[in-house]
Structures are given as structure tokens and as C-alpha cells.
Amino acid sequence: MQARMHPRSEQPELRDFDLPGVAPSRQKRSRETTLALLRAGAEMLRTRSLAELSIEALCTEVAATVGAFYSRFESKETYFNALMALATRDGEERLAGIKPPSPDPGLDRLCQIIVSGIIGWMRNHEGVLRAALQHDATRPDKWTPFKALAQATSARATPLLLPAMGKGRKAAKSRAIAFGFQIVLGTLVNAILNDPGPLQLSSKEMETRLAGCLLLLLQAEIGRATPK
């Protein structure tokens, strides 16, 4: 079985509502309303900023009252915090699902699997991630969970990639892996925030190109001579 980031559903499930700031409910219908509000907001943020996200429009989208919204979320800020917490949790669970390759699929395949997993997570939460990045200018703490998740991604992937890079120079190779993920994540963040082209986050070519870039960088490190 090859290493892979196991796919997850794009939307939060009812079990996910043990979130700080979200009023708990034991009634299934009430939890379903909370779920509908979170799903609708995540989808609406794909095409508008957080400032443009109207609570009234959100409630209309799911046939809920504004009162129902505020009975679950203290504020719009609390609501957005819940969306970010769900996106972060999904990323953490994806990381935990990365399994060591057996048999070894090779460095090229590992790069494809890991990069595809990262892009898949970003596609699922694109609107929330963009809103967090846009919010980052005035509230730097908003991006902090995702920064930590990026660091965790590098840390989790390093022991998978190192064996495929051969023996020796572990510190240098680990550094190359960390830089490789900085390039991958930086490119994806730019695509989410600015969409400069030529490739978009939704493009399959984005996956193959970025996986190829990571592979070439790691292969270059493998080919380096040990400093004397």
C-alpha cells in the first residue's frame, strides 16, 4: 500500500461541533442548522470577502433566522473562528492519515502524493483560507493556525521523504525538504490570494507542476557533494 493523504469529505460533519465559542446543542435538528450555516458560509466565502459576507444573506441561504445564528455564534468573528477551526482540524486529520509507503513508491510518487494532498485540502477550504489571508493584514493571529499546520506538514512529510533521498547528510536534506514546502505553500497561498496565473488552484497541472518542482529540488540536494 502506498503512502497517501486519505481523502476526507469537503464539509464538516455533526461530530465536529465541539468548537470553542459555538453554543452546543443536543438536538439533532439544531446541530443540522449549525452545520448548514457553516457549510453555507464556507461556500459563500469562495466568491466574496469576509467583510462582504452578510449574516442576513447567510441565514436566508439556509432558511434560518438571524436569531438562530446568534443563538449559536456570539458574533461574526466567532463564526469565522469556527470555520477556521474546522479547516485546521481537517488539515490535522489529513496529516495524521499519511502512511509510510509499503512498498516504497519512490521519491517522485511521494512528492505527487503529498503535494496533491495539500492542494486537495486547500481546494476544500479555499474561501476560508482566502478570508484568513485577507484578514491577516489587520489581525495576524488569524493565520497562525495555518502557519502551524504548514510547519506540521513539513515535519510529518520529512520522515517519509528522507528514506527516498538516500543515506547521509540528513540535516541538509531535511533543510531542503523544509524549503521545498516553503516554495509549494508560498505558491499555493499566492494562487489563493492573488490568482496571478498561469495556473489556478483548481488546475490539475498545478499539482503536477508543483510536485515536479519539489522533486527537482530534492533531487538537486541528493546530487550535492558532501562539503569537505
Side-chain angles (χ1 to χ4, degrees):
M1 180 170 178
Q2 295 180 337
R4 67 184 64 229
M5 279 185 163
H6 294 294
R8 290 180 49 76
S9 60
E10 296 186 4
Q11 301 294 352
E13 301 297 337
L14 295 179
R15 63 178 178 80
D16 288 315
F17 294 149
D18 52 334
L19 297 169
V22 179
S25 175
R26 296 181 180 179
Q27 296 181 352
K28 181 180 178 182
R29 185 171 181 179
S30 178
R31 295 197 304 273
E32 288 174 343
T33 299
T34 304
L35 172 63
L37 288 166
L38 290 167
R39 283 178 169 172
E43 189 61 31
M44 292 169 75
L45 283 172
R46 291 181 181 274
T47 57
R48 67 197 77 188
S49 69
L50 182 61
E52 294 169 337
L53 180 62
S54 162
I55 300 304
E56 291 77 8
L58 173 63
C59 292
T60 299
E61 184 72 16
V62 300
T65 65
V66 173
F69 175 90
Y70 284 108
S71 69
R72 291 163 173 78
F73 309 98
E74 294 179 0
S75 64
K76 186 177 181 180
E77 187 84 356
T78 302
Y79 173 75
F80 184 56
N81 288 343
L83 286 175
M84 287 197 301
L86 287 172
T88 302
R89 180 179 298 175
D90 180 43
E92 291 169 346
E93 292 182 356
R94 284 170 180 265
L95 281 180
I98 303 178
K99 303 300 181 184
S102 179
D104 181 2
L107 187 60
D108 57 343
R109 182 61 181 144
L110 280 171
C111 289
Q112 292 169 12
I113 290 168
I114 295 170
V115 169
S116 294
I118 293 170
I119 292 177
W121 171 71
M122 287 192 164
R123 285 172 180 160
N124 285 351
H125 305 284
E126 182 178 358
V128 176
L129 293 173
R130 183 183 300 108
L133 282 164
Q134 291 170 337
H135 220 33
D136 195 35
T138 55
R139 292 289 303 278
D141 58 302
K142 289 300 167 201
W143 191 239
T144 299
F146 299 127
K147 286 180 180 177
L149 189 59
Q151 294 169 354
T153 300
S154 179
R156 182 73 180 90
T158 296
L160 293 175
L161 292 168
L162 275 177
M165 295 177 71
K167 297 181 179 180
R169 304 179 59 250
K170 181 177 179 180
K173 291 174 181 176
S174 297
R175 184 75 168 173
I177 292 170
F179 180 61
F181 279 109
Q182 183 176 352
I183 293 173
V184 169
L185 293 169
T187 300
L188 293 173
V189 164
N190 191 33
I192 288 174
L193 189 57
N194 301 311
D195 193 17
L199 302 181
Q200 296 179 316
L201 186 68
S202 59
S203 170
K204 180 64 178 177
E205 189 179 354
M206 177 69 87
E207 294 183 36
T208 56
R209 292 282 186 181
L210 274 182
C213 285
L214 180 60
L215 175 62
L216 287 173
L217 188 149
L218 299 184
Q219 287 176 331
E221 186 61 42
I222 293 170
R224 285 176 181 268
T226 303
K228 296 181 179 180

